[in-house]
């Protein structure tokens, strides 16, 4: 029998997945998987936050809950609380009703929905990403129909930010181009601009009429402070301009497999926001119709309950502090052995 699919070529090997599988199959009892960006306990096991277990138990005990489809834009309560978490309760954009939030499939799905929307509605199809950036960024944006270009970001000599090069490259970008900015805990370098540098970046982006697209995958996970890790985003929102924000709760709530995130689009007016919302839903409907309910319900349950929220911030800071401590210990050990 002839094979219709016989012409399909082998896919290129994914270097990250290859390491993950190699670690899985390695019989060594002392192995460590350093490839996947997932938090692990001292025993190398996945961590489910206590507050997440409590939220799930509360949801399970609520017999009034059902499994009906969510609206195309997701769980309304989740959207409202998620937006406040990244923008702040006193955000002028929220008060002026010029914010559109759509529940998406974690950070990756949020980026893809935003990219599809921009590919159709943004006049400039060029999107600038940091060099280097998260390996999935170029694929997401290219498949959505955008043209990916890079701006200088990491300086291997100083092991820090190439701030001069970054400003030069963004300054040469065409007006209307999209710029991907990681809100905190830059992946893969771990190098973030200072608040003073963020302000200069903001001024340049606005003066050049560029459109910032924030990837916020680590809010609270970088410094241990939800507000500090959202500061860069809030600086851009406060000036009244437009921006997109992709949020993920994979890291900061440990909800990796729940695939829960959101896309927030800050507009210049309420009228523009209404039009944007309708167009985003046209992207969502043929892509996956409606998002899953469970992860959104977990997040909403935690964010709306003051006790749970406080307990979450404590657990979150504990994870962040432990990561910082482990990095310091690793650096000290490498330094003691003359490796750096």
């Amino acid at each position: 029998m002839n094979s219709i699919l016989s012409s399909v070529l082998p896919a290129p090997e994914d270097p990250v997945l290859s390491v993950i599988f190699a670690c899985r199959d390695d019989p060594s009892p002392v192995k460590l998987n350093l490839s996947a960006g997932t938090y692990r306990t001292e025993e190398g096991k996945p961590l489910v936050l206590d507050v997440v277990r409590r939220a799930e138990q509360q949801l399970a005990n609520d017999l009034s809950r059902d499994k009906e489809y969510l609206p195309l834009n997701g769980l309304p309560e989740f959207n409202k609380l998620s937006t406040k978490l990244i923008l702040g309760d006193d955000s002028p954009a929220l008060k002026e009703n010029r914010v559109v939030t759509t529940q998406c499939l974690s950070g990756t799905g949020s980026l893809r929905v935003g990219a599809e929307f921009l590919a159709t509605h943004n006049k400039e199809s060029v999107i600038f990403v940091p060099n280097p950036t998260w390996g999935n960024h170029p694929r997401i944006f290219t498949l959505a129909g955008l043209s990916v270009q890079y701006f200088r970001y990491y300086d291997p000599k100083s092991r820090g930010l190439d701030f001069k090069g970054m400003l030069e490259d963004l300054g040469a970008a065409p007006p209307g181009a999209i710029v991907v900015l990681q809100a905190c805990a830059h992946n893969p370098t771990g190098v973030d601009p200072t608040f003073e540098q963020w302000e200069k970046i903001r001024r340049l982006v606005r003066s050049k009429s560029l459109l910032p697209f924030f990837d916020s995958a680590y809010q609270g996970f970088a410094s241990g402070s939800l507000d500090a890790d959202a500061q860069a985003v809030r600086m851009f929102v406060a000036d009244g301009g437009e921006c997109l924000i992709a949020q993920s709760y994979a890291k900061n709530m440990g909800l990796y497999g729940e695939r829960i995130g959101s896309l927030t689009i800050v507009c210049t007016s309420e009228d523009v926001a209404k039009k944007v919302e309708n167009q985003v839903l046209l992207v969502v409907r043929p892509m996956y119709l409606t998002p899953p309910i469970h992860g959104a319900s977990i997040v909403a349950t935690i964010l709306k309950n003051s006790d749970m929220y406080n307990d979450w911030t404590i657990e979150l800071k504990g994870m962040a502090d432990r990561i910082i401590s482990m990095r310091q210990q690793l650096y000290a050990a490498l330094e003691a052995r003359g490796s750096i």
Side-chain angles (χ1 to χ4, degrees):
M1 181 181 293
N2 292 330
S3 171
I4 297 174
L5 304 179
S6 61
S7 61
V8 175
L9 300 175
E13 190 175 74
D14 187 299
V16 176
L17 292 178
S18 298
V19 174
I20 292 174
F21 295 147
C23 181
R24 179 197 63 189
D25 298 335
D26 191 325
S28 173
V30 292
K31 61 185 178 182
L32 286 175
N33 185 351
L34 301 181
S35 59
T38 55
Y39 186 85
R40 291 291 183 263
T41 66
E42 287 288 345
E43 296 74 33
K45 303 296 183 182
L47 175 68
V48 180
L49 301 186
D50 290 338
V51 71
V52 168
R53 292 196 184 278
R54 285 163 48 202
E56 287 192 301
Q57 190 62 58
Q58 179 175 311
L59 292 169
N61 291 337
D62 184 358
L63 299 183
S64 68
R65 289 177 51 78
D66 56 45
K67 301 297 182 181
E68 283 295 299
Y69 287 120
L70 288 176
L72 269 66
N73 63 348
L75 187 68
E77 188 175 41
F78 164 80
N79 289 339
K80 180 179 178 180
L81 294 166
S82 186
T83 307
K84 284 187 175 182
L85 186 72
I86 189 67
L87 299 186
D89 291 339
D90 58 350
S91 172
L94 283 174
K95 295 177 181 178
E96 295 162 9
N97 297 315
R98 50 186 181 87
V99 178
V100 176
T101 299
T102 305
Q103 179 190 332
C104 298
L105 307 181
S106 201
T108 303
S110 303
L111 290 165
R112 182 58 186 263
V113 171
E116 295 271 2
F117 167 79
L118 291 172
T120 301
H121 299 284
N122 198 54
K123 293 180 180 179
E124 178 57 68
S125 64
V126 174
I127 184 166
F128 284 81
V129 300
N131 185 18
T133 193
W134 179 43
N136 220 15
H137 276 156
R139 300 172 191 171
I140 291 170
F141 301 130
T142 299
L143 287 174
L146 297 172
S147 176
V148 175
Q149 294 189 25
Y150 292 85
F151 62 85
R152 281 170 283 178
Y153 189 86
Y154 181 70
D155 180 6
K157 293 182 179 179
S158 66
R159 298 174 185 171
L161 181 67
D162 184 355
F163 189 55
K164 182 175 181 291
M166 179 181 183
L167 294 184
E168 287 178 355
D169 290 347
L170 293 183
I178 309 152
V179 179
V180 174
L181 301 168
Q182 295 189 37
C184 64
H186 181 272
N187 181 358
T189 69
V191 175
D192 292 330
T194 64
F195 290 151
E196 291 75 16
Q197 289 172 329
W198 271 122
E199 174 58 19
K200 292 181 180 179
I201 294 169
R202 184 195 66 78
R203 291 179 182 177
L204 175 62
V205 166
R206 295 309 192 197
S207 68
K208 291 287 297 182
S209 297
L210 306 178
L211 180 59
F213 193 164
F214 281 97
D215 185 356
S216 179
Y218 301 95
Q219 186 182 357
F221 211 70
S223 67
S225 167
L226 290 159
D227 290 329
D229 290 350
Q231 188 63 37
V233 174
R234 294 175 186 178
M235 289 168 66
F236 277 76
V237 175
D239 67 16
E242 298 170 322
C243 68
L244 287 79
I245 310 153
Q247 286 175 264
S248 167
Y249 291 90
K251 307 297 191 299
N252 58 17
M253 281 195 186
L255 298 175
Y256 302 96
E258 297 294 351
R259 311 312 296 142
I260 177 61
S262 63
L263 172 68
T264 292
I265 303 179
V266 180
C267 305
T268 54
S269 70
E270 184 175 0
D271 181 60
V272 172
K274 290 178 180 178
K275 297 175 184 176
V276 166
E277 181 176 30
N278 291 333
Q279 290 294 339
V280 169
L281 295 184
L282 291 182
V283 173
V284 167
R285 183 176 177 84
M287 189 180 291
Y288 55 83
L289 191 64
T290 69
I293 193 171
H294 189 63
S297 299
I298 294 172
V299 175
T301 299
I302 293 171
L303 294 184
K304 72 181 180 182
N305 183 296
S306 59
D307 290 337
M308 284 188 177
Y309 179 88
N310 290 333
D311 290 343
W312 172 50
T313 61
I314 293 171
E315 289 193 79
L316 177 56
K317 190 173 190 310
M319 289 191 291
D321 287 349
R322 178 167 171 260
I323 291 173
I324 293 170
S325 174
M326 286 192 296
R327 286 174 173 166
Q328 292 171 339
Q329 293 177 57
L330 175 60
Y331 183 89
L334 292 171
E335 191 175 41
R337 286 163 177 77
S339 299
I340 54 177

